[in-house]
Amino acid sequence: MDACGCALRDPASPHALFFSENAVALETALHQRLSRKRVNLVNPRREFFYAAPAEVKDLLVALGDDHVVEYNDTAEAVEWRASDLGRHRATARRNRACSRTPRPCCRPS
């Protein structure tokens, strides 16, 4: 949801596709309404917010229901899901390795 397309380094799977004659004004309005949910309170140029996709959809509709072209509750997020699966597998491997490692006795002498 960035009008200039510069906030995300990696490809993102969108939850919503929307149209606006004035995307900058719409983005500004969304940011104002989400300002209390800002992730980075130190650098306002970091435009990330704690907001569910459905909440953003509701804001878009409230700002003018002609904005929302397409909406998905669950984004495809292929790279994120593959990374998440890899993290879970790595954690499981570490947990199995730790369970086989003998631990020193912790009882006082």
Side-chain angles (χ1 to χ4, degrees):
M1 170 177 62
D2 184 30
C4 70
C6 60
L8 300 174
R9 295 180 316 187
D10 301 319
S13 296
H15 284 276
L17 175 64
F18 63 91
F19 173 81
S20 176
E21 290 287 336
N22 190 344
V24 174
L26 179 60
E27 182 182 27
T28 299
L30 286 170
H31 288 187
Q32 288 171 346
R33 284 163 177 78
L34 293 169
S35 65
R36 290 184 178 173
K37 297 181 175 213
R38 190 172 285 281
V39 172
N40 189 330
L41 300 175
V42 177
N43 183 354
R45 295 185 66 195
R46 292 296 190 198
E47 300 171 330
F48 296 98
F49 304 88
Y50 294 109
E55 181 181 358
V56 176
K57 177 191 172 202
D58 291 344
L59 287 171
L60 286 168
V61 170
L63 291 167
D65 59 3
D66 59 329
H67 294 303
V68 179
V69 175
E70 180 183 325
Y71 176 79
N72 301 306
D73 281 317
T74 306
E76 186 178 10
V78 174
E79 291 180 4
W80 181 85
R81 292 183 198 290
S83 297
D84 197 46
L85 179 62
R87 277 189 290 275
H88 286 293
R89 286 180 178 161
T91 299
R93 280 193 302 272
R94 279 193 304 274
N95 289 343
R96 282 192 305 272
C98 287
S99 67
R100 290 189 301 258
T101 304
R103 295 199 171 99
C105 180
C106 298
R107 284 181 271 164
S109 312

